[in-house]
Amino acid sequence: MKSFHNPDLHCHSNRSDGHLAPADVVARALANGVDLLALTDHDEVGGIDEAIAAAYGSKLRLLPGVEISTSFAGENIHIVGLAIDHRHRPLLDGLARLRSGRAERAERIGAELARCGIPDALAGARRLARNPELLTRAHFARHIVACGLMPDIRTVFDHYLATGKPGCVPHRWAEVEQAVSWIIDAGGVAVLAHPARYRLSKAAFDELLERFQQGGGEAIEVVGGAHTEEETRRIAQVARRRGLMASRASDFHGLGEGPVDLGCCNPLPHDLVPVWSRFR
Ligand code: AMP
Ligand code: MN
Ligand code: MN
Ligand code: MN
């Protein structure tokens, strides 16, 4: 039975808001010693075939993946699907619907930023997005930094784009159960992404987990680029208490963006069941 030494089960290419082409993500992961990689672009599987081709014959196994945007209690909740059939029609239809809502949302983000004194942000974000169907807040943030209006992406989010700020316009993504069922019906495993990032009360977080698990969600990101060590300990406890498998996930978007490079997360706490035990 194959065991994996350096899995990284969440990252982005330029088919969503990553900087690198899918083949370059795979090459970088290989150079960093990753032996199991999931490419998980936002609401998009268009980079998977290129990533599979780049991994072919190498020491890296590529899992087709996706990161689906959902709405719950006013927060954007992201659900990663691992080892999906990325040609499964109901999944593709659902993702296409999420992408089509992004264009109109981007216009509202542009209008809100204009009201805050940042003109032409939509055009700027569009210029930075390789996939015109997949404009994210990250593209807006990069544009504002590139214009010299703010020093870094984090500052832009803190001022304009984080939950509750003007550029985080209300939007209805998929329901949590809907995203989980698209993933399961496509043969995949559903993972709750970066759980420590959500601004939810304890009761709301418990309800989220309940709905996620009732719908068939099986794993949670415990170790990741978005988590501090204290948050990792807290989420590890959640995984134990609720019997969830654990994932390890850089959420890599590109060099110099985000705290962790591909394959450079800490190991999982030893007593947790790794989600990759499913992929042997
Ligand atoms: P969207 O899908 O348009 O809601 O954009 C979400 C993306 O914005 C995430 O996947 C990250 O790439 C980025 N993002 C969200 N929150 C932050 C943050 N606080 N700091 C930096 N990037 C963020
Ligand atoms: Mn992103
Ligand atoms: Mn995410
Ligand atoms: Mn992500």
Side-chain angles (χ1 to χ4, degrees):
M1 198 152 54
K2 170 112 175 81
S3 69
F4 297 100
H5 301 290
N6 191 355
D8 190 337
L9 300 182
H10 178 161
C11 67
H12 298 273
S13 76
N14 62 9
R15 300 306 156 98
S16 64
D17 57 2
H19 287 278
L20 303 179
D24 296 330
V25 173
V26 170
R28 185 167 187 88
L30 261 169
N32 287 359
V34 173
D35 52 5
L36 182 68
L37 180 74
L39 179 65
T40 57
D41 278 312
H42 298 285
D43 307 325
E44 173 64 278
V45 291
I48 301 288
D49 283 331
E50 181 182 319
I52 289 173
Y56 186 77
S58 78
K59 291 183 172 146
L60 180 152
R61 179 164 158 207
L62 193 285
L63 292 178
V66 67
E67 180 175 17
I68 303 181
S69 311
T70 77
S71 304
F72 173 84
E75 182 60 284
N76 293 317
I77 307 294
H78 288 175
I79 299 187
V80 160
L82 298 176
I84 50 169
D85 169 4
H86 62 293
R87 297 195 179 84
H88 190 69
R89 183 42 62 188
L91 171 68
L92 294 178
D93 291 346
L95 297 181
R97 186 159 61 73
L98 290 179
R99 289 198 302 275
S100 71
R102 277 185 180 271
E104 175 268 338
R105 170 183 182 253
E107 288 184 17
R108 285 185 287 131
I109 294 175
E112 284 300 320
L113 291 173
R115 290 199 320 125
C116 295
I118 304 169
D120 304 323
L122 177 57
R126 279 192 180 132
R127 276 195 296 276
L128 296 177
R130 178 168 177 300
N131 180 350
E133 291 189 354
L134 227 122
L135 233 53
T136 78
R137 285 177 287 159
H139 296 110
F140 283 92
R142 288 172 195 154
H143 165 72
I144 290 167
V145 172
C147 289
L149 291 169
M150 299 233 122
D152 53 49
I153 286 174
R154 206 203 146 128
T155 309
V156 184
F157 269 89
D158 288 348
H159 280 81
Y160 297 118
L161 293 171
T163 302
K165 299 295 171 184
C168 188
V169 300
H171 188 71
R172 258 191 101 121
W173 300 104
E175 296 292 318
V176 169
E177 291 87 347
Q178 178 74 85
V180 171
S181 80
W182 287 335
I183 291 165
I184 293 174
D185 292 348
V189 176
V191 186
L192 184 64
H194 41 66
R197 189 198 279 178
Y198 307 130
R199 297 198 318 182
L200 295 173
S201 68
K202 188 175 178 308
F205 185 60
D206 281 341
E207 191 198 333
L208 169 65
L209 288 166
E210 188 61 34
R211 281 176 49 180
F212 173 72
Q213 289 187 275
Q214 283 291 328
E218 292 184 276
I220 189 165
E221 288 180 358
V222 173
V223 172
H227 289 173
T228 64
E229 285 186 23
E230 196 281 316
E231 287 168 338
T232 291
R233 280 193 292 276
R234 181 159 63 77
I235 301 300
Q237 272 306 103
V238 171
R240 290 181 193 108
R241 193 175 76 235
R242 300 206 60 118
L244 288 159
M245 293 185 289
S247 190
R248 177 174 185 258
S250 66
D251 202 2
F252 177 79
H253 281 72
L255 310 182
E257 213 170 282
V260 182
D261 200 347
L262 287 163
C264 294
C265 291
N266 289 327
L268 284 187
H270 288 297
D271 63 309
L272 299 183
V273 180
V275 66
W276 53 91
S277 60
R278 281 296 177 82
F279 311 130
R280 278 172 187 181

